[in-house]
Amino acid sequence: MIAIIVVVVVAIVLLASYLVSQRDHDEPYDPVVNPHEAEWLTDEMNASLETLERIDDDGYMYEMDCDYDYYNNPTLLKIMEEYGIYDAGCSAFVTFNEAGDSVLTARNYDYKHTTPEGEITGLNVAIHCSPEGKYRSIGIADAYWLDYEKGTFCSGVLDDETTDISLLALLPYVCMDGINEKGVSVSILKLDIKEGEEPVYIQKVEGKTTIGHSVLMRYILDSCASVGEAVALAEEYNIVGAFGMNFHIFVTDANGDSVVLEWRYGKMYVTDVNVVSNFYSGFDDAEDYYKNGVLVENVVRLDSTVKEYRYGFGHGYHRLTGIVSALERYIDFTEDEYITKMTKSQAMHILSVAAQDPGTEATSMTQYSVVYDTKNCSAVVCMHQDYDSVYTITLD
């Protein structure tokens, strides 16, 4: 489960209130689908917005190119400076494909969005990023967060011919997961903070710039060719949480290396792990999870598994143990080290077993399931547990 309400989202909401002003209607303007009329949009941003296309029939998923400079645009930098991030319920696992010549990173993105009328919705955009001088990547951004207080970006609105889509220029910074041309894949997942524990945003190492989790993920996708490079990059920054929440970042690469980056007690911790959910992977302090005094989830642990796991504070134990149990079936015991091998369809099936139907919790609905493939830098995606409808996204 993941509630990616990162600090940058706060900035985006405020941006909507004071930066989206209308163009002079005497100017020639002919949008391809929806209007995008913010005066701060560059020609390159406008051109990217006009690449927007719907992928599925219900309008839960779209696709768009981000062929513009989202590092040096003055408006975007204004957001980063103002909110201390300048300088610019989910589950995930990693495996090899059946031939052992490609790494697959699989993840469920779990969050229940609703319209202002209370109807379940969602709006995700598969984005193609190609910042100058950096690595190309594909990823999935949750557009709902661009104006979550008003619920502006719900399923189907991006081609309704009326909704202003200017804020989609900020999608690179609300990416939930992705993969770059070097095979580095990242996913952000929510963590819970134990009562009485200080949140991550106390991290204030002198001399380090402070950024949000989703901004770090953007930097990793754009700049790193391995897990080692991602760890080294993360060590250069202080990480700031949002609304008292914490997150961890799952990073994998084309060699099959995989770690989770976690920030706790004012420090960053790096843990080698092949499966993550919504509790700390680098600690062993699991407790039954309560919310508002009500037991939400009991701790579930697996013993005697081939690979050892820690169970830290949080939630998502049932889903992680289910995935681990499924992975045991795919272990290649002819290899000296622990690896699993499976097809993309088998990886997607494991995700389907760990998927969540809409529940009472905000982080209790699977919006999409995705499997990233390093061999051809592609992704297969299923929306809202419709595993009979599979969409493919490629780098090119």
Side-chain angles (χ1 to χ4, degrees):
M1 308 172 195
I2 177 170
I4 298 297
I5 312 178
V6 291
V7 171
V8 78
V9 173
V10 181
I12 288 168
V13 173
L14 293 181
L15 174 76
S17 67
Y18 74 88
L19 284 181
V20 182
S21 59
Q22 298 299 308
R23 291 178 182 269
D24 183 348
H25 287 284
D26 291 331
E27 293 181 36
Y29 187 64
D30 185 23
V32 172
V33 183
N34 276 23
H36 36 99
E37 299 184 333
E39 63 180 9
W40 49 268
L41 290 171
T42 64
D43 290 342
E44 290 77 14
M45 287 180 179
N46 278 315
S48 289
L49 292 174
E50 293 185 9
T51 67
L52 190 69
E53 292 185 3
R54 182 188 289 221
I55 292 180
D56 67 325
D57 293 337
D58 296 321
Y60 288 114
M61 176 71 80
Y62 291 76
E63 191 168 8
M64 190 181 91
D65 294 336
C66 295
D67 293 331
Y68 52 88
D69 185 0
Y70 49 79
Y71 275 85
N72 297 304
N73 178 271
T75 297
L76 301 188
L77 291 180
K78 181 180 178 68
I79 299 172
M80 303 304 160
E81 286 182 275
E82 186 166 349
Y83 292 92
I85 47 178
Y86 172 72
D87 205 19
C90 308
S91 310
F93 66 91
V94 65
T95 183
F96 282 87
N97 67 352
E98 71 276 25
D101 61 357
S102 182
V103 175
L104 308 178
T105 301
R107 98 65 80 81
N108 282 336
Y109 173 57
D110 301 342
Y111 202 92
K112 187 177 69 175
H113 289 317
T114 57
T115 66
E117 294 74 32
E119 297 178 357
I120 291 176
T121 187
L123 183 56
N124 299 286
V125 182
I127 58 175
H128 300 251
C129 294
S130 52
E132 185 176 355
K134 300 183 182 297
Y135 298 130
R136 296 179 300 151
S137 66
I138 55 175
I140 302 177
D142 185 352
Y144 183 91
W145 293 121
L146 296 177
D147 194 10
Y148 69 93
E149 288 187 334
K150 297 178 182 177
T152 299
F153 296 109
C154 299
S155 57
V157 303
L158 299 189
D159 50 4
D160 62 5
E161 300 184 358
T162 60
T163 301
D164 190 309
I165 59 172
S166 298
L167 290 179
L168 267 60
L170 294 156
L171 286 176
Y173 289 107
V174 288
C175 221
M176 305 295 104
D177 42 68
I179 188 171
N180 70 18
E181 62 182 287
K182 294 297 184 180
V184 170
S185 180
V186 292
S187 305
I188 302 180
L189 301 94
K190 183 180 180 294
L191 289 172
D192 298 292
I193 298 175
K194 187 181 294 188
E195 185 176 355
E197 187 174 307
E198 293 176 313
V200 68
Y201 53 71
I202 66 165
Q203 189 186 27
K204 297 178 181 178
V205 179
E206 187 175 350
K208 291 186 178 182
T209 300
T210 299
I211 62 174
H213 295 83
S214 70
V215 177
L216 175 60
M217 181 183 126
R218 180 78 265 150
Y219 291 175
I220 292 173
L221 281 176
D222 291 348
S223 303
C224 297
S226 67
V227 162
E229 289 185 11
V231 172
L233 180 66
E235 288 175 341
E236 296 178 10
Y237 296 96
N238 290 321
I239 294 298
V240 59
F243 307 124
M245 291 189 294
N246 201 359
F247 307 89
H248 56 183
I249 299 178
F250 186 47
V251 187
T252 69
D253 66 21
N255 295 319
D257 294 331
S258 58
V259 300
V260 63
L261 308 179
E262 297 177 333
W263 293 264
R264 202 177 188 190
Y265 310 128
K267 295 173 58 178
M268 185 180 82
Y269 296 85
V270 181
T271 305
D272 293 332
V273 68
N274 66 323
V275 186
V276 292
S277 184
N278 303 115
F279 55 84
Y280 289 101
S281 299
F283 301 83
D284 197 11
D285 59 347
E287 300 175 8
D288 288 344
Y289 180 65
Y290 290 84
K291 185 171 183 178
N292 299 325
V294 177
L295 180 63
V296 177
E297 181 178 45
N298 292 100
V299 176
V300 177
R301 301 171 185 254
L302 284 176
D303 295 322
S304 302
T305 54
V306 173
K307 193 174 179 66
E308 293 185 2
Y309 299 89
R310 289 183 176 181
Y311 298 86
F313 180 77
H315 69 288
Y317 304 101
H318 294 77
R319 284 176 284 110
L320 183 132
T321 54
I323 291 173
V324 169
S325 297
L327 286 176
E328 297 259 299
R329 174 184 174 188
Y330 295 97
I331 296 174
D332 186 346
F333 288 100
T334 66
E335 298 284 347
D336 293 335
E337 297 182 359
Y338 169 98
I339 67 168
T340 57
K341 294 180 179 178
M342 66 186 70
T343 66
K344 283 185 277 191
S345 296
Q346 289 167 331
M348 188 66 78
H349 177 70
I350 293 176
L351 289 177
S352 73
V353 173
Q356 299 185 89
D357 294 329
T360 57
E361 298 295 311
T363 52
S364 65
M365 187 192 83
T366 299
Q367 283 198 48
Y368 64 80
S369 302
V370 59
V371 179
Y372 291 100
D373 186 347
T374 62
K375 188 173 184 178
N376 51 17
C377 195
S378 65
V380 291
V381 188
C382 297
M383 302 303 301
H384 285 236
Q385 299 188 56
D386 182 5
Y387 295 101
D388 292 327
S389 300
V390 180
Y391 305 96
T392 301
I393 304 165
T394 60
L395 185 63
D396 298 317

